[in-house]
Every structure is written in C-alpha cells, then in structure tokens.
C-alpha cells in the first residue's frame, strides 16, 4: 500500500493566504458598496479623536476634502457654536456612542456644507479605548429645505397673525388645535386657553350635534358659510360670519374656520332698514298728498249720504203717522255709509303710519279696486280713462296690504304724470291681473304715454335716479324693495303700440 501524497506546507500556506486575501477583498468591496449606497463617508479616529481614515462615496456632488491627522473641531467650521462643540467633545471623551451630530463647514463660494455624523467607540481586547468608527451624511439640501419650510411657516404665521379675521384650526371632533393672534384678541383668551377647548367654549350657537351637521355640510359642499354668535371672556356677545373648510394633513382630517366680526355690518343693515322705512313712509305720504282731492271726494259721499238719510229718518219719525220701516231703512243706510267712511279713514291711517299692519291674506283684485277708488278723482282731474281686466278666481297672496297698495298707487300716479304730454281724451290707463307660472299672481299697469328709452330703463330702479324736475328718485326703488320683500319681482317694458308697462309678480299662498 502506497503512502498518502504529502502536500508541502508552503503550498498550503499560500492557498490559505489567497483565500484570506480574496475574503478580505470581498469584505472591502461589500464595505465600499455599503458606503456608496448608505452613507457619504466612513471615518475612523484614534484615541485622541484625530482622523486616521476616511472613505468617501463616489456620488458626492462636492469634491471631498481629507481631514486626516486633525480632529473634527480643528477643521474650519461655522456651526455649532462653542457650547455645542464643548458638549460634543465631552461625549467623545466619555467614550459614548453618538448619533446625528450636525455641524457646518464653509464652502469656497461662501456658503455652508452641512454634515450629520454618527459614531461608536472602539476598544481592544483589554478594554482599552482606541478611537471611534462612524459614518457621515451630507445634509445640506435637507437643511436648506428645512430652512425654507421654517421661513415659509414663519411668513404664513406672520400673515395669519396679522389678519383682521379670526383663524382657528379644529380637529374632527371640534377641538381647537391652533389659533391666530386675532382670535385671542377678539375673544379675550390666551392661546393656551383656547387650544384644546371645544367650539362651544366660545360659540353660543354650536353643540356636538350642530358640529356634526356642519361637518356633513362641509363634506357635501366644500365650504360652508354661516352666521353665529361668539362670547368673549368678559361675557359680551358679538355676531360673526364663519366660513368652514375641511382638509387633510398627515392622514388626519382637520377643519379651518375663518370668522369675521359683523357687528358693524349688522348695525349698518339695521340703519339701512330704518332709513328705508322712513323713505317708504315719506313716499306714501307724498302719494297721499297727490290724491287728497280723491280722499276728500270719497269721504264727502258717505258723509252727505248720512246727512240725507238722517234728515229722512227724522221726517219719517216726526210725522203724525210715523213710518218706522222707512226710518229703519234710513238708519241702516246711515250705518252702512258710516262703515264705508270708517274704512276709507282706516286705509288712510294705515297708509300714513310708519309701521304697516301685520301680514295678512290678501285678495289682490280687491286691494287694487280700493286704490282705484282713492285715485279716481286724480284720474278724472287729468282726463285719464282707466280700464281694468282683473282675472277672476286669483289665489290670495300673503303680505302687507298697505305696502302692496302703495306700489299700485305709485305706478298709477307715475302713469298719470307720464301721459300729461298727451291731449285730454287720449290718455288711457289699463290695470290687469293674471295667474302666472309657478302659482304666481301677475299685476300689470299699462299707459299710452311716450314710453321709456333704453338708458332710462337700465337706471329706472336705481335709488335717487329720476326724470322728474322735482322728483326724489326713490318711488320706484321703494316699490322694487317692497315687491322683493314679498318674494316677487318688479320689471318694466314697452307697451304696444305705445307707452310703458310696469309689471310685478307675487307668490301665492298656494305656491
């Protein structure tokens, strides 16, 4: 039997050495790959914290600068300050691991290059500290983005804090997440008092149920606008207009509320309503001044009739054979005429009063006939022939009878004045009613005057615009306001073959 082949020990050592060298190359290649794709630099320092090795990634945009032989703080730097470096050196001297220590180096163009480094202490077999090993990452772009974000947020905060409106950020359940300075100033609370509170803390019109309803409106329509009342810390209450909108941040739904104090707006609106009421009253009084003769005529008729009937009743009762039946009839006529006179006086009082009677169910045709009765003498004085075409069976409308009669009276008087340029006998006025679409009642007042030109039509309903030498320009504007307040519309157009027509519609009680 042959002896086994003996392999020289020199050859065995050579093969092992090759395998070890190959393994070392593979390890170094893996190390370089790790550095290339995970970090920008790998570094090692000795026990005195001097750099003894630095491996840079090939993907660095800026050329690397070796710092071998120097400590990190001996290299020119801009950040952190001396206190920051002192704390970092204390950590190194204590041989503690550290992570994400940020510092800034100057660049040739006068800028900054930010680096974030992390390191682990290294000890030999005896436990003696020999230095640090660590990695670093260039974070200049990230720092620039962070700074830009900080500046952007600062600009936004400045804008929001200097806004004249109240900004509030709410969570889904209504709790306050953030507020601007105006919110604190207008409500009298500090920011810490408002943040964390629910909307009901200062909003008198809201509770959990109302908040949920508003949330549903926001989801359906995007932006919700409503009016509410806020209560200040001192207890005073003021009206606000609130605009609410929902948005997502970090996967969380939040609601931003923009609130505006509308105290002055409310006060102005109330002043305008008072002025409008005064102008409406003045307009009615002016209209009544124009029909004074008609009023006198309408009152003189029942008064004369009552006088005649009273004398007749006295005669029937004073004769030798009193005729009680004739006397009763005469007295009944006196009662009827007195009621008629009372109705005329009541209507005049209602027209002159500043505040109209409560809303009522109105027969439009009857209301128009009452106005024609009052204006009859004015029509006769100006030689105007009036015709009516009142549709039977019209539905009733709800509103203020006196105000609607004021509109009809104004339109009649305007028509009379417009036809003054025509010869007597050729002046015609026609008032008609009809049932319109959507259960609406339509009233039209037509004249055969000179008509209206285009410029006049465009401005006719503007306040203070007038074509009359002594006019105030408020009559038609007030008429339009009255009709719109009743849910209707007033408009004008040309009458055929000549003249103008003014029409308005009103919603019926059946609509």
């Amino acid at each position: 039997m042959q002896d086994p082949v003996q392999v020289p020990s020199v050859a065995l050592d050579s093969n092992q050495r090759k395998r070890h060298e190959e393994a070392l190359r593979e390890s170094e290649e893996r190390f370089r790959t790790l550095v290339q794709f995970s970090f920008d630099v790998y570094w090692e320092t000795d026990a005195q914290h001097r750099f003894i090795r630095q491996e840079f990634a090939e993907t660095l945009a800026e050329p690397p600068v070796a710092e071998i032989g120097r400590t990190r703080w001996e290299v020119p730097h801009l950040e952190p300050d001396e206190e920051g470096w002192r704390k970092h050196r204390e950590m190194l001297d204590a041989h503690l691991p550290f992570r994400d220590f940020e510092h800034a180096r100057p660049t040739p163009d006068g800028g900054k290059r930010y680096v974030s480094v992390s390191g682990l202490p290294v000890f030999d077999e005896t436990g003696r500290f020999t230095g640090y090993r660590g990695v670093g990452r260039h974070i200049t772009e990230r720092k620039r983005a962070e700074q830009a974000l900080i500046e952007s947020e600062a600009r936004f905060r400045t804008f929001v804090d200097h806004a004249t409106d109240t900004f509030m950020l709410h969570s889904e359940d209504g709790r306050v997440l953030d507020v601007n300075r105006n919110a604190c100033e207008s409500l009298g609370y500090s920011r810490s008092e408002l943040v964390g509170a629910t909307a009901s803390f200062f909003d008198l019109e809201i509770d959990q149920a109302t908040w949920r309803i508003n949330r549903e409106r926001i989801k359906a329509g995007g932006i919700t606008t409503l009016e509410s009342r806020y209560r200040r810390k001192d207890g005073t209450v003021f009206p606000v207009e609130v605009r609410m909108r929902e948005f997502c941040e970090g996967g969380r739904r939040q609601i931003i509320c923009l609130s505006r104090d509308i105290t002055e707006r409310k006060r102005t609106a109330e002043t305008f309503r008072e002025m409008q009421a005064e102008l409406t009253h003045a307009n009615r009084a002016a209209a009544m001044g124009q029909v004074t003769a008609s009023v006198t005529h309408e009152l003189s008729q029942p008064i004369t009739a009552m006088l005649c009937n009273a004398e007749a009743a006295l005669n029937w009762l004073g004769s030798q054979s009193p005729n009680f039946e004739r006397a009763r009839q005469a007295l009944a006529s006196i009662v009827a005429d007195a009621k008629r006179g009372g109705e005329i006086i009541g209507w005049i009082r209602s027209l002159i009063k500043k505040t109209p009677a409560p809303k009522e169910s109105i027969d439009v045709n009857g209301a128009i006939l009452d106005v024609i009765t009052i204006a009859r003498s004015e029509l006769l004085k100006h030689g105007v022939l009036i015709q009516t075409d009142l549709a039977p069976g019209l539905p009733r409308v709800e509103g203020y009878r006196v105000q609607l009669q004021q509109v009809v009276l104004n339109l009649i008087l305007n028509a009379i004045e417009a036809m003054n340029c025509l010869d007597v006998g050729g002046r015609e006025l026609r008032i008609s009613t009809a049932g319109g679409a959507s259960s609406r009642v339509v009233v039209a007042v037509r004249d055969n005057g000179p008509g209206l030109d285009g410029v006049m039509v465009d401005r006719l309903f503007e306040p203070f615009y007038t074509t009359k030498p002594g006019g105030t320009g408020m009559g038609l504007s007030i008429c339009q306001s009255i009709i719109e307040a009743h849910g209707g519309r007033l408009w004008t157009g040309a009458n055929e073959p000549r003249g103008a027509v003014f029409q308005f519609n009103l919603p019926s009680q059946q609509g």
Side-chain angles (χ1 to χ4, degrees):
M1 185 174 179
Q2 295 180 350
D3 294 332
V5 178
Q6 297 293 322
V7 179
S9 60
V10 174
L12 182 61
D13 292 342
S14 176
N15 290 333
Q16 289 178 340
R17 186 169 56 253
K18 288 181 179 180
R19 285 197 296 272
H20 288 315
E21 290 174 352
E22 183 64 28
L24 181 59
R25 281 195 297 272
E26 291 177 356
S27 176
E28 290 180 344
E29 186 63 31
R30 286 194 296 271
F31 167 75
R32 289 191 178 90
T33 302
L34 178 65
V35 171
Q36 292 289 332
F37 289 96
S38 300
F39 308 102
D40 294 319
V41 61
Y42 169 82
W43 55 268
E44 295 180 5
T45 58
D46 59 16
Q48 285 73 43
H49 310 306
R50 293 187 297 263
F51 287 108
I52 58 175
R53 183 178 182 183
Q54 289 180 318
E55 295 282 345
F56 297 97
E58 296 176 358
T59 55
L60 284 178
E62 300 175 1
V65 178
E67 300 164 347
I68 304 299
R70 292 188 289 180
T71 63
R72 187 173 289 113
W73 52 90
E74 290 175 339
V75 179
H77 58 269
L78 300 173
E79 295 180 19
D81 57 15
E82 291 304 316
E83 179 63 17
W85 281 114
R86 186 188 63 77
K87 291 181 179 180
H88 180 61
R89 292 175 63 178
E90 284 182 353
M91 182 172 292
L92 296 179
D93 291 338
H95 308 157
L96 299 174
F98 65 92
R99 188 178 184 85
D100 297 328
F101 172 71
E102 296 181 3
H103 59 282
R105 305 293 195 201
T107 58
D109 60 0
K112 293 182 182 181
R113 183 180 74 247
Y114 285 91
V115 180
S116 174
V117 293
S118 302
L120 291 173
V122 179
F123 303 91
D124 61 15
E125 296 82 354
T126 64
R128 182 176 61 89
F129 172 73
T130 61
Y132 271 90
R133 292 174 186 165
V135 293
R137 186 185 300 278
H138 285 201
I139 58 171
T140 304
E141 291 303 318
R142 191 194 79 190
K143 295 292 286 187
R144 287 174 180 169
E146 289 176 353
Q147 185 61 32
L149 180 60
I150 292 172
E151 293 173 356
S152 175
E153 289 178 344
R155 286 194 300 270
F156 177 75
R157 171 57 68 177
T158 300
F159 168 76
V160 169
D161 276 343
H162 285 79
T164 57
D165 295 325
T166 294
F167 283 84
M168 290 194 182
L169 187 64
H170 295 265
S171 61
E172 286 188 276
D173 62 0
R175 293 196 173 274
V176 178
L177 301 176
D178 199 1
V179 297
N180 71 337
R181 185 173 61 184
N182 184 269
C184 300
E185 292 176 351
S186 62
L187 291 172
Y189 292 101
S190 66
R191 183 177 181 276
S192 60
E193 288 176 309
L194 290 173
V195 172
T198 61
S200 59
F201 178 61
F202 51 84
D203 193 330
L204 297 179
E205 306 291 342
I206 203 164
D207 52 27
Q208 286 299 319
T210 307
W211 180 262
R212 287 194 295 270
I213 292 172
N214 290 338
R215 284 286 319 283
E216 294 302 321
R217 289 176 181 171
I218 295 171
K219 291 179 180 178
I223 298 178
T224 295
T225 302
L226 51 92
E227 287 191 9
S228 189
R229 293 181 303 139
Y230 282 179
R231 180 174 54 206
R232 296 186 178 92
K233 189 174 183 178
D234 62 9
T236 58
V237 177
F238 62 100
V240 292
E241 180 184 75
V242 184
R243 300 187 69 192
M244 304 173 67
R245 183 170 188 172
E246 187 177 72
F247 69 99
C248 287
E249 182 182 49
R252 295 183 303 167
R253 292 187 177 277
Q254 298 177 350
I255 298 91
I256 187 167
C257 292
L258 170 62
S259 306
R260 177 169 295 177
D261 187 338
I262 56 174
T263 302
E264 286 303 318
R265 184 198 302 178
K266 290 280 189 180
R267 186 178 292 118
T268 301
E270 182 61 30
T271 301
F272 178 78
R273 281 193 294 269
E274 292 174 357
M275 291 176 59
Q276 187 78 357
E278 291 290 340
L279 287 170
T280 301
H281 171 252
N283 180 261
R284 284 202 298 265
M288 284 304 302
Q290 291 181 258
V291 296
T292 301
S294 296
V295 173
T296 303
H297 175 75
E298 290 302 317
L299 283 175
S300 66
Q301 284 184 333
I303 291 172
T304 301
M306 284 189 290
L307 179 61
C308 293
N309 285 318
E311 290 176 348
L314 289 173
N315 290 332
W316 290 117
L317 293 173
S319 64
Q320 292 182 351
S321 300
N323 191 328
F324 294 105
E325 179 59 26
R326 290 291 185 89
R328 189 192 64 78
Q329 292 176 1
L331 291 173
S333 297
I334 292 174
V335 172
D337 289 330
K339 287 183 178 179
R340 175 59 184 159
E343 289 175 356
I344 295 172
I345 294 173
W347 187 82
I348 295 171
R349 284 177 174 174
S350 297
L351 199 65
I352 296 300
K353 281 198 310 183
K354 289 188 176 182
T355 56
K359 281 187 176 181
E360 58 183 303
S361 179
I362 303 170
D363 172 14
V364 174
N365 288 345
I368 291 173
L369 290 174
D370 285 344
V371 176
I372 292 174
T373 299
I374 294 297
R376 184 178 291 116
S377 292
E378 193 74 10
L379 293 164
L380 291 173
K381 183 175 71 175
H382 291 274
V384 176
L385 174 65
I386 186 166
Q387 297 177 338
T388 58
D389 182 13
L390 308 181
L394 284 179
R396 300 175 78 88
V397 302
E398 184 180 21
Y400 300 103
R401 181 185 181 89
V402 169
Q403 287 188 354
L404 296 179
Q405 288 177 324
Q406 176 185 353
V407 173
V408 176
L409 182 60
N410 269 99
L411 296 180
I412 290 175
L413 295 176
N414 285 347
I416 292 173
E417 191 165 356
M419 293 185 289
N420 277 340
C421 61
L422 303 179
D423 293 334
V424 175
R427 304 171 184 175
E428 297 179 359
L429 178 66
R430 182 169 177 264
I431 301 179
S432 64
T433 60
S438 303
S439 300
R440 286 182 170 261
V441 175
V442 181
V443 178
V445 178
R446 293 177 170 84
D447 65 63
N448 64 340
L452 305 169
D453 60 41
V455 176
M456 186 184 299
V457 170
D458 292 338
R459 302 191 59 192
L460 207 55
F461 297 104
E462 291 181 11
F464 307 111
Y465 175 78
T466 180
T467 58
K468 304 175 185 178
T472 64
M474 290 303 299
L476 287 175
S477 175
I478 290 171
C479 290
Q480 184 181 53
S481 298
I482 291 173
I483 296 302
E484 290 178 351
H486 282 76
R489 185 172 71 92
L490 173 64
W491 71 97
T492 187
N495 187 33
E496 297 297 339
R498 186 182 66 182
V501 55
F502 285 83
Q503 300 182 78
F504 63 87
N505 61 24
L506 298 167
S508 69
Q509 289 181 314
Q510 299 175 2

